[in-house]
Amino acid sequence: MTNRAHIAMFSIAAHGHVNPSLEVIRELVARGHRVTYAIPPAFAEKAAATGAEPKLWNSTLPGPDADPEAWGSTLLDNVEPFLDDAIQALPQLAEAYRGDEPDLVLHDIAAYPARVLAHRWGVPAISLSPCLVAWEGYEEEVAEPMWEEPKKTERGRAYYARFQGWLEENGITEHPDRFAGRPARSLVLIPKVFQPHADRVDETVYSFVGACQGDRDAEGTWQRPADAEKVVLVSLGSAFTKQPDFYRRCLRAFGDLPGWHVVLQVGRHVDRTDLGDVPANVEVHSWVPQLAVLRQADLFVTHAGAGGSQEGLATATPMIAVPQAADQFGNADMLQELGVARHLPMEEATAEELRATALRLVDDPEVARRLKEIRAGMAEEGGTRRAADLIEAELAASRRDRPREA
């Protein structure tokens, strides 16, 4: 076993970025390592529950309960807040770790200061990616077309100049695109089957370890009603939940289906009164223990975030994917290509189409077969234990290359 080390994890205050790392951190603590977790206060309790020591810093990003409109609507609206936050967070984090520098840095894909600090400290950094990663050809096929127009604008040029200047101030000569999208080492916390163009991913850099979900009992439990013939969970995740009209469509789709029970998660920006009449077979919550519900559900209506998508795969639950933003559109397409879901764009997700799609999916033996096959493959990827093994291997290699004084 690798000797006890100080491992520092860095993330942002967002459920989809924090949750995938928690079981890996818990496993590293169980193996005897000292793990610190640099995180804004909103997630300090979650980090501490793993046995890690929270290192708190203040973020300028919209919080986990912020109105989705706080993120803006354009590509630059979406990315500028992360750079702003990284620049103001770096001195906070440098001070928090002064005299307590780690042996290895783990970081979420959005935790830019982590890579800067690892460079400053001369220690290895490993990305923990909660979503798809770049393949050979990604830049030409996806990134360059996406950025072509924004880069022509004064605002886009200013963004890149500021990013490049910040990196150079910290001794990093990489282009911002490569810095943000091409880590030296990455553990990918999604099933390989969920990765687009997996055959073109460099597996000397990226190791697919699959879902690291744990039992999540601390999030609460849920019991399927005894008279429920079918259970459908409707959840658009934690960020893009301000969709009262869509929830009303779901009530019309599933509210009077004989034998069906509906679990509807609406987030913090929609009130039960916004939904009108709620049928007796529907339970409405601002939040639910999603994995506990999915383990007993027959259908998942999801926004196709990376975390929710792989929870659907891990529990072999057919899905209707109604993406809202970012990588969710590609995820929805991927789920449909895998034969386990139907991608319904929001404008096409009428009550009638939701109902018809649901009835087809839950009774399709080929969908059930594909889900069972994928779940079996995920179980072989190693998950939490393999992730911890790979992290310890990086530690051991680093110590061979850079002997430390006792």
Side-chain angles (χ1 to χ4, degrees):
M1 171 182 165
T2 303
N3 293 333
R4 175 180 166 89
H6 175 193
I7 299 169
M9 173 67 197
F10 295 76
S11 192
I12 62 169
H15 293 282
H17 291 257
V18 172
N19 289 347
S21 71
L22 294 176
E23 291 306 313
V24 178
I25 300 306
R26 195 187 312 277
E27 176 69 14
L28 291 169
V29 171
R31 294 186 183 198
H33 299 292
R34 177 182 173 231
V35 185
T36 53
Y37 203 125
I39 192 70
F43 282 83
E45 188 175 340
K46 264 196 170 185
T50 67
E53 305 167 32
K55 293 266 192 178
L56 301 183
W57 57 281
N58 295 314
S59 175
T60 57
L61 290 173
D65 298 324
D67 190 310
E69 294 174 6
W71 287 102
S73 58
T74 70
L75 180 58
L76 284 167
D77 288 341
N78 295 159
V79 299
E80 284 173 335
F82 288 98
L83 179 58
D84 294 342
D85 193 47
I87 291 171
Q88 69 86 35
L90 182 60
Q92 295 183 60
L93 292 165
E95 182 59 31
Y97 279 94
R98 189 181 306 280
D100 191 24
E101 292 80 7
D103 300 288
L104 180 142
V105 164
L106 301 175
H107 64 92
D108 177 72
I109 56 173
Y112 298 159
R115 288 194 64 192
V116 171
L117 289 171
H119 175 80
R120 184 182 297 180
W121 295 327
V123 300
I126 304 175
S127 164
L128 299 186
S129 179
C131 56
L132 65 84
V133 295
W135 55 88
E136 297 307 315
Y138 171 84
E139 286 77 12
E140 296 81 2
E141 296 165 19
V142 178
E144 290 173 10
M146 182 172 63
W147 274 99
E148 183 177 4
E149 292 305 317
K151 282 183 175 180
K152 293 177 182 176
T153 67
E154 182 177 347
R155 182 182 174 190
R157 290 192 294 270
Y159 167 78
Y160 271 96
R162 188 174 185 223
F163 205 151
Q164 189 77 62
W166 180 64
L167 293 177
E168 290 175 355
E169 287 171 11
N170 287 284
I172 296 173
T173 57
E174 276 186 300
H175 186 274
D177 288 344
R178 189 160 189 87
F179 173 84
R182 289 286 184 175
R185 186 76 176 94
S186 177
L187 304 185
V188 192
L189 309 181
I190 64 171
K192 188 175 180 179
V193 71
F194 195 50
Q195 166 68 38
H197 307 293
D199 59 326
R200 288 195 271 152
V201 172
D202 183 355
E203 295 198 46
T204 66
V205 173
Y206 300 100
S207 297
F208 290 90
V209 299
C212 301
Q213 292 171 341
D215 57 34
R216 303 256 286 274
D217 287 347
E219 294 186 357
T221 60
W222 183 83
Q223 184 60 50
R224 179 183 177 118
D227 60 349
E229 296 173 20
K230 301 288 184 186
V231 169
V232 54
L233 169 63
V234 179
S235 170
L236 299 180
S238 59
F240 298 95
T241 60
K242 196 175 180 180
Q243 300 286 354
D245 178 63
F246 174 71
Y247 300 138
R248 287 191 290 267
R249 285 184 249 166
C250 289
L251 294 183
R252 293 196 300 274
F254 308 121
D256 62 353
L257 273 178
W260 282 60
H261 183 82
V262 184
V263 181
L264 178 60
Q265 177 181 287
V266 297
R268 297 183 184 276
H269 303 290
V270 174
D271 190 83
R272 185 186 179 96
T273 58
D274 297 325
L275 304 177
D277 292 334
V278 177
N281 67 323
V282 178
E283 52 182 277
V284 179
H285 306 276
S286 61
W287 178 90
V288 298
Q290 184 163 285
L291 196 56
V293 179
L294 284 176
R295 286 177 177 142
Q296 304 171 69
D298 301 281
L299 178 69
F300 185 18
V301 179
T302 172
H303 66 309
S309 297
Q310 69 174 355
E311 287 177 3
L313 293 174
T315 55
T317 309
M319 287 169 270
I320 299 177
V322 188
Q324 305 296 302
D327 64 338
Q328 297 159 19
F329 298 96
N331 293 343
D333 286 339
M334 194 71 181
L335 290 169
Q336 182 162 284
E337 289 171 17
L338 289 172
V340 300
R342 169 81 187 281
H343 176 182
L344 276 185
M346 179 63 90
E347 63 274 13
E348 297 178 19
T350 64
E352 295 73 21
E353 190 60 32
L354 285 165
R355 177 185 293 206
T357 302
L359 294 174
R360 285 196 299 270
L361 283 171
V362 298
D363 291 326
D364 190 328
E366 180 60 17
V367 170
R369 186 194 68 79
R370 285 291 294 140
L371 281 164
K372 184 177 179 181
E373 180 178 88
I374 290 169
R375 181 170 59 181
M378 289 173 66
E380 296 175 359
E381 289 184 309
T384 303
R385 291 189 62 83
R386 181 161 177 253
D389 289 345
L390 290 169
I391 291 165
E392 289 189 331
E394 291 291 330
L395 271 170
S398 172
R399 285 170 167 170
R400 287 194 301 270
D401 297 339
R402 185 173 54 88
R404 287 177 174 267
E405 295 180 3

